[in-house]
Amino acid sequence: PDSVYRTEEAKLRAIATEALRRNVAGQPILIGTTSVESSERLSKRLTSEPLRKLALVLLLRDRWFTANNAQEDGRAIEALKPFDKPLDSMTPSDMRPMAKELGLTLNPVTDENLSRLAALLDLPADSTGTLKAALEGGIKHRVLNAKKHDEESQIILSAGALGAVTIATNMAGRGVDIKLGGEFNENVLRGVNRVLKRAGESNAFEMRNEERLGALEKIGPNQYLIYGEDAVAFLKHMADEQTVRALGGLHIIGSERHDARRIDNQLRGRAARQGDPGSSRFYLSLEDELMRRFGGSNVSGLMETLKIDEALPIEHNLVNRTIEQSQQRVEGFNFDSRKHLLEYDDVLNQQRTKIYEQRQRIFTKDDLTEDVDDMLVAEVTRRVTLGAAQNEGWWKFLAWLDEVQPTQQRADGSLFFPFSIE
């Protein structure tokens, strides 16, 4: 199900938290966005400083609830509201008073804080080292948008590698399958095939990777010879692939709903392809463009009235219906636009057909006298009808006659005057 938050800030925090948790575990993540600006904004949230601030906010909230013997029940806590402000504008001085009161060190990478943070993120106790590295250096990730179109396919190919984090617009890299464990060089596979061929595997080049792995494990490293590096790289790749499968495969995070549900389904379809494991979840806010246009403000106002905690996602049928109805309205509007465009095209096509019919008749008919006479009669009849229907119509009719038949000189030198002079 979708996780819906009242503010965009809360949504960005939830995405960063989920990315941190899964990245520390080693699961590959693909974060889909609807625009280049959104992808760059999310990229900044995965750097060290915002992640450290986010970790401190999580620790402060947890310490406050523990100290006050309270549980998160969805209601907004007045004492915690200052921590709802954007992380970009939050400073250590904003956290220091409460941290001092609760006895919390404002350093998220101390042993005590790391252990508690790992528990909050549902991570094993032995993952504190990886968690510390992520907080100190940020989450290593790659951004795929219109600015890097030449690297598009390569970035997508490596998006399924162990611990890979990729931020991409929803339309980027379409048509490229994301393989679990990442893509390895074909030269590596070629070297492994040669090793197996020497070891007596006659069909090495036709084997599946799992079969190659089993055959390679049966022979000793002393038979790798000059292809030792290729064999080691292949074994590491297969080990990473098995680890990624055990972690649940590729996880898709949608940062915003697209106008069309078809695009959202395409993003979800990046995971769990061809029998591979995978998962997906969308993180939305009532301040998203789609929600702002179609009723998101009503739900947001209701949340403020009921004093619901911004840090917690909304789970209500009203929100789900609002999202679905919003997309249906946009899809209906787009359908009507395409329908009208098709109707305009039909009109142009009818005109085009008539013109081509006349053009073809001119090319194929020997004598066009009757056709020209019919056109002259039709035009003169139209002009006469207009002249009879208007007060000054006959003057306009004479002006038209002068225009189509001005003064001309006959063969004998005399002049043929227009109708107005005659």
Side-chain angles (χ1 to χ4, degrees):
D2 296 343
S3 294
V4 186
Y5 295 84
R6 192 177 77 83
T7 63
E8 184 177 17
E9 172 64 25
K11 178 189 76 172
L12 293 175
R13 291 187 184 188
I15 293 175
T17 303
E18 184 69 2
L20 177 63
R21 182 177 72 84
R22 294 183 181 271
N23 176 253
V24 170
Q27 185 175 9
I29 308 167
L30 176 63
I31 304 176
T33 64
T34 57
S35 65
V36 175
E37 294 77 11
S38 179
S39 64
E40 292 178 343
R41 186 164 58 248
L42 272 171
S43 176
K44 291 180 181 177
R45 286 299 180 112
L46 301 185
T47 56
S48 175
E49 185 178 355
L51 285 177
R52 291 170 69 94
K53 290 180 180 179
L54 177 60
L56 286 174
V57 170
L58 293 175
L59 290 169
L60 281 170
R61 286 178 60 88
D62 174 69
R63 185 66 66 91
W64 188 92
F65 281 107
T66 302
N68 290 272
N69 196 23
Q71 293 183 347
E72 296 190 43
D73 55 5
R75 291 178 297 177
I77 306 298
E78 193 67 31
L80 299 177
K81 278 190 175 181
F83 303 130
D84 291 336
K85 64 189 295 189
L87 292 178
D88 297 339
S89 59
M90 190 177 296
T91 62
S93 58
D94 297 325
M95 309 180 196
R96 190 169 290 112
M98 180 171 287
K100 186 176 181 180
E101 177 184 345
L102 298 175
L104 181 70
T105 305
L106 282 182
N107 181 7
V109 295
T110 62
D111 292 340
E112 181 184 358
N113 286 343
L114 284 174
S115 298
R116 185 54 193 161
L117 193 58
L120 291 175
L121 296 176
D122 293 326
L123 293 170
D126 58 356
S127 63
T128 54
T130 310
L131 179 60
K132 180 179 180 180
L135 293 175
E136 290 181 338
I139 298 175
K140 293 182 180 180
H141 62 280
R142 304 184 74 178
V143 181
L144 175 58
N145 51 38
K147 296 182 178 180
K148 296 184 178 180
H149 58 277
D150 54 331
E151 304 175 21
E152 183 172 303
S153 60
Q154 190 57 41
I155 293 177
I156 284 293
L157 283 174
S158 60
L162 182 66
V165 178
T166 308
I167 302 176
T169 54
N170 290 349
M171 301 296 288
R174 294 176 65 188
V176 181
D177 279 346
I178 300 176
K179 296 182 180 179
L180 300 185
E183 187 78 9
F184 57 89
N185 196 310
E186 287 297 325
N187 292 330
V188 172
L189 190 60
R190 206 172 290 121
V192 171
N193 288 336
R194 290 193 176 101
V195 171
L196 295 177
K197 191 82 172 177
R198 287 184 177 182
E201 296 289 345
S202 57
N203 62 337
F205 288 88
E206 300 175 359
M207 298 171 70
R208 294 183 295 109
N209 284 342
E210 290 77 10
E211 295 172 342
R212 291 189 181 96
L213 176 62
L216 197 61
E217 289 176 341
K218 292 179 182 179
I219 64 177
N222 58 331
Q223 298 187 43
Y224 296 164
L225 302 178
I226 61 173
Y227 302 108
E229 292 184 2
D230 294 339
V232 171
F234 178 78
L235 291 172
K236 182 181 182 304
H237 169 82
M238 295 303 295
D240 289 348
E241 180 180 337
Q242 291 175 359
T243 302
V244 169
R245 289 180 180 277
L247 290 171
L250 179 68
H251 181 69
I252 302 293
I253 295 178
S255 64
E256 192 173 342
R257 284 283 194 174
H258 198 273
D259 288 349
R261 287 171 290 181
R262 173 179 57 84
I263 305 299
D264 294 338
N265 292 334
Q266 285 180 350
L267 178 62
R268 290 186 187 274
R270 293 295 186 87
R273 294 177 69 91
Q274 301 179 5
D276 291 338
S279 55
S280 65
R281 170 166 285 192
F282 274 80
Y283 290 80
L284 315 175
S285 83
L286 299 180
E287 295 178 348
D288 291 345
E289 178 65 23
L290 185 67
M291 300 298 291
R292 278 205 314 268
R293 281 190 285 169
F294 300 103
S297 57
N298 297 333
V299 181
S300 179
L302 179 62
M303 287 186 63
E304 286 190 47
T305 304
L306 298 177
K307 295 182 179 181
I308 298 177
D309 191 354
E310 292 185 6
L312 299 180
I314 313 165
E315 295 180 359
H316 198 279
N317 291 334
L318 173 64
V319 180
N320 296 330
R321 285 199 305 269
T322 301
I323 296 170
E324 186 175 355
Q325 291 172 0
S326 300
Q327 288 185 307
Q328 287 176 347
R329 290 180 187 176
V330 175
E331 289 173 356
F333 174 78
N334 292 337
F335 174 79
D336 291 340
S337 299
R338 291 192 296 271
K339 181 180 177 183
H340 293 321
L341 183 62
L342 183 61
E343 291 172 351
Y344 297 148
D345 186 65
D346 287 340
V347 173
L348 293 175
N349 189 51
Q350 292 175 8
Q351 296 175 348
R352 192 181 302 113
T353 302
K354 291 291 184 183
I355 294 297
Y356 282 145
E357 287 177 355
Q358 294 181 6
R359 175 175 175 268
Q360 189 66 22
R361 186 164 61 246
I362 291 172
F363 285 156
T364 58
K365 197 170 183 179
D366 295 331
D367 187 3
L368 297 172
T369 303
E370 293 182 1
D371 298 281
V372 174
D373 288 344
D374 291 342
M375 292 172 65
L376 288 174
V377 170
E379 180 64 15
V380 171
T381 302
R382 188 179 70 85
R383 294 282 181 171
V384 170
T385 304
L386 287 175
Q390 300 176 4
N391 294 332
E392 299 181 357
W394 293 117
W395 292 107
K396 294 180 180 179
F397 180 67
L398 287 174
W400 173 72
L401 290 175
D402 290 348
E403 181 182 349
V404 298
Q405 186 174 314
T407 302
Q408 298 179 2
Q409 187 175 12
R410 295 188 178 95
D412 59 0
S414 61
L415 296 177
F416 180 83
F417 294 102
F419 288 96
S420 59
I421 297 178
E422 292 288 341

